[in-house]
Amino acid sequence: MTVYYVNSATGSNSNTGTSEDSPFASFWAVENLKLQPGDSVLLAAGSVFNDQLDLKYSGTVDAPITIGSYGIGDAPVIHSPGDGIHSLYTSNIVIENIKITDTGGAAIYGGYVSNWTINNVEVDHTGLAGKAGSISIRTGSNITIENSTINDVNGDGMWIEKINGVTLLNNTVTNAHGTTADAVQINDSSNIVISGNYLDQTGAVTPKGVLTLIRPVDAVIEGNTIIGGGFGISAQAGTNIAIQDNDISGYGGYSWSYAIGLGDSGDTRNYDISGNYIHDGVWGVAVSSAGTTTYVREGIDISGNLFDDLTQAALKVDRPASGSFHDNFIASDVTPYSISPSIIAAGTFPVSDNTIIEEGPTTLASADGLAAADASVSLVSDTGLTSHNDLKLAADKIAADKAGAHHDNPIWETGVSDETLLLRHFGKAAAEKHGLTLGNGDHGVTIEAADLAGPENGSEISHHEIAPQPLHHSEADPLIVSMLQHGVLH
């Protein structure tokens, strides 16, 4: 296991490359090596490389080949008229702690690859020659992209196809430009986890959408913030798909724009769409299609979502489908559903037990107040709820900028942010479905169920203490209390 050092400013290709004092100067020297499992190629902090790095050799599961950095300072930068890093038929590769900018092609391209991890890589202003996918992985297995940022690229931010095992964690993708561009597109792939990402297309030039999955199998999309584009999540023709606890907003530009859409690329089976905060857009969940081809759409369960500030209905079903729309929370100024009469007559997509939330009866509590010993919050019962056992406490929106809040996570020593926290409560079913949830570690909200045994419908429940303690509830008078994991502290 050898470590090779590359420094474009002080290195020489006649050096051994095996120490910081004797580094190579360019990728040419690296590409003439036969890298072995466990070898590392480290680029000097502050170095700039104006060439494509070709990876030709594979590591092993226990000893991957690593491309990384060394030294103190700015991350090393790769510029290239082609791709930044290009590889075919390799496996067990780690790419980390570098920056790739101003490339003609993809920042990173991998074809027929497996067991790759891309971690803490910054990508900016790539795809200048029109090549799709700033990070483009085609055909293979077990690809992880995490803690990385992609911004101001031409074409899709990520393009992934025919991969068994895709994991996208805690990445930021902003401004993927182009009429066919999405922040992330995944085609014909399986065993997919997309979690904790921030995907924002509000500044993109003529974007198509934000997150697209075509013919996915066994996918979980959870806890992401998704903003802008013509649509939020297009999960077409999938099987066994969970779309849960995402914050989806700001999408529009078309009469058909939706937060979550199933589309018309093939048969669709077994979707769990739950716990999402869908707001400031056009349609909510659309079971629809642009064409007239008949596909199977079955097992679509939509529950426990919050719909607010939509110009069209929370639910649209205009193609034959089976499923249910139940126990959701819908702002009073949003049309609950638009379902074709033939589908209503068939009874295949029932609507039940949804709660209409009247706008206005909320109380704002400042973070300074939350941090104080005598902090309190006033809870106001919605008229659609039948008892305090139907309450679910949710923090759904604040006045601060969500983009900075999501990623900078401005939580101070008190465990709360310095911004304003807006609290609402909703119905029992979603809380039971999602369980007792806290979004920020050990800091939580303490509410005794016995304290809430006051007035029932429509009346104000008196102030109750909020402290940075674990959430708990009374066994004698059980209260299902849940805080939406995402969008809690901003």
Side-chain angles (χ1 to χ4, degrees):
M1 297 183 181
T2 305
V3 178
Y4 296 98
Y5 299 87
V6 191
N7 188 320
S8 62
T10 65
S12 169
N13 288 338
S14 62
N15 287 339
T16 62
T18 55
S19 72
E20 293 185 34
D21 295 330
S22 183
F24 292 137
S26 71
F27 294 156
W28 178 86
V30 174
E31 292 166 357
N32 280 292
L33 298 170
K34 185 174 182 180
L35 295 174
Q36 300 296 312
D39 286 353
S40 297
V41 176
L42 304 184
L43 313 181
S47 287
V48 176
F49 301 91
N50 296 302
D51 200 2
Q52 175 176 295
L53 173 58
D54 289 319
L55 296 180
K56 305 173 185 177
Y57 302 104
S58 297
T60 65
V61 171
D62 295 329
I65 291 174
T66 299
I67 308 299
S69 65
Y70 73 98
I72 298 173
D74 295 335
V77 176
I78 298 175
H79 300 309
S80 170
D83 297 333
I85 296 176
H86 183 96
S87 186
L88 296 173
Y89 301 101
T90 61
S91 61
N92 302 295
I93 300 293
V94 175
I95 302 171
E96 61 185 7
N97 304 327
I98 63 173
K99 181 175 181 178
I100 304 173
T101 71
D102 298 294
T103 61
I108 299 173
Y109 179 89
Y112 302 93
V113 297
S114 63
N115 298 335
W116 273 38
T117 297
I118 298 170
N119 177 46
N120 193 33
V121 171
E122 181 181 354
V123 175
D124 185 73
H125 201 50
T126 59
L128 304 183
K131 191 169 183 178
S134 179
I135 295 180
S136 187
I137 310 292
R138 301 171 186 244
T139 309
S141 62
N142 300 328
I143 304 301
T144 297
I145 304 173
E146 58 189 359
N147 306 314
S148 295
T149 61
I150 298 172
N151 176 61
D152 190 30
V153 299
N154 291 316
D156 300 275
M158 298 183 195
W159 177 281
I160 297 171
E161 64 177 337
K162 298 181 180 178
I163 302 294
N164 178 16
V166 176
T167 302
L168 308 180
L169 299 176
N170 302 321
N171 302 289
T172 298
V173 183
T174 52
N175 304 335
H177 307 296
T179 56
T180 62
D182 303 313
V184 176
Q185 178 150 352
I186 301 175
N187 292 353
D188 300 299
S189 297
S190 59
N191 297 309
I192 300 164
V193 175
I194 302 173
S195 179
N197 301 283
Y198 180 84
L199 311 176
D200 185 352
Q201 287 284 72
T202 55
V205 178
T206 62
K208 178 162 67 72
V210 182
L211 175 59
T212 296
L213 293 88
I214 298 178
R215 295 174 295 275
V217 176
D218 299 329
V220 175
I221 305 167
E222 64 177 5
N224 304 283
T225 298
I226 295 172
I227 306 175
F231 57 80
I233 300 174
S234 180
Q236 303 186 32
T239 302
N240 301 330
I241 309 300
I243 303 174
Q244 301 173 336
D245 302 320
N246 302 284
D247 187 329
I248 307 171
S249 67
Y251 56 92
Y254 305 98
S255 61
W256 52 262
S257 291
Y258 50 75
I260 300 171
L262 274 58
D264 58 355
S265 293
D267 292 342
T268 297
R269 293 184 171 91
N270 302 332
Y271 278 50
D272 177 2
I273 300 172
S274 57
N276 301 286
Y277 178 26
I278 295 172
H279 58 108
D280 299 288
V282 185
W283 297 94
V285 178
V287 184
S288 184
S289 70
T292 58
T293 303
T294 300
Y295 291 111
V296 173
R297 300 176 180 86
E298 63 184 20
I300 302 163
D301 186 78
I302 305 168
S303 67
N305 303 283
L306 170 61
F307 299 91
D308 195 9
D309 292 323
L310 304 181
T311 61
Q312 298 293 336
L315 172 69
K316 177 182 182 180
V317 184
D318 64 1
R319 295 294 187 274
S322 70
S324 59
F325 184 73
H326 63 97
D327 297 296
N328 297 284
F329 314 103
I330 306 169
S332 58
D333 59 351
V334 173
T335 301
Y337 59 87
S338 174
I339 302 177
S340 296
S342 60
I343 298 171
I344 293 176
T348 60
F349 217 106
V351 174
S352 64
D353 299 319
N354 296 295
T355 299
I356 303 301
I357 303 168
E358 295 297 329
E359 296 291 322
T362 58
T363 299
L364 292 177
S366 70
D368 290 341
L370 292 177
D374 59 350
S376 63
V377 61
S378 177
L379 303 179
V380 182
S381 178
D382 296 315
T383 56
L385 306 179
T386 59
S387 75
H388 65 269
N389 284 331
D390 285 332
L391 294 179
K392 178 189 176 187
L393 180 62
D396 73 313
K397 195 175 185 183
I398 49 85
D401 172 57
K402 283 195 68 64
H406 178 87
H407 269 283
D408 294 338
N409 194 23
I411 301 173
W412 310 120
E413 291 180 0
T414 58
V416 296
S417 108
D418 67 342
E419 302 295 349
T420 298
L421 181 66
L422 175 58
L423 299 179
R424 288 182 180 174
H425 54 271
F426 307 107
K428 164 176 148 181
E432 289 177 336
K433 179 179 181 67
H434 297 291
L436 296 171
T437 303
L438 285 177
N440 290 280
D442 294 332
H443 302 288
V445 180
T446 299
I447 300 179
E448 292 285 357
D451 292 339
L452 296 181
E456 297 286 335
N457 291 340
S459 58
E460 181 167 333
I461 300 171
S462 60
H463 290 49
H464 301 281
E465 183 179 11
I466 288 186
Q469 304 173 25
L471 188 69
H472 60 279
H473 63 280
S474 167
E475 293 181 1
D477 189 8
L479 172 65
I480 304 300
V481 180
S482 178
M483 182 168 283
L484 293 178
Q485 278 187 308
H486 305 281
V488 175
L489 293 176
H490 302 285

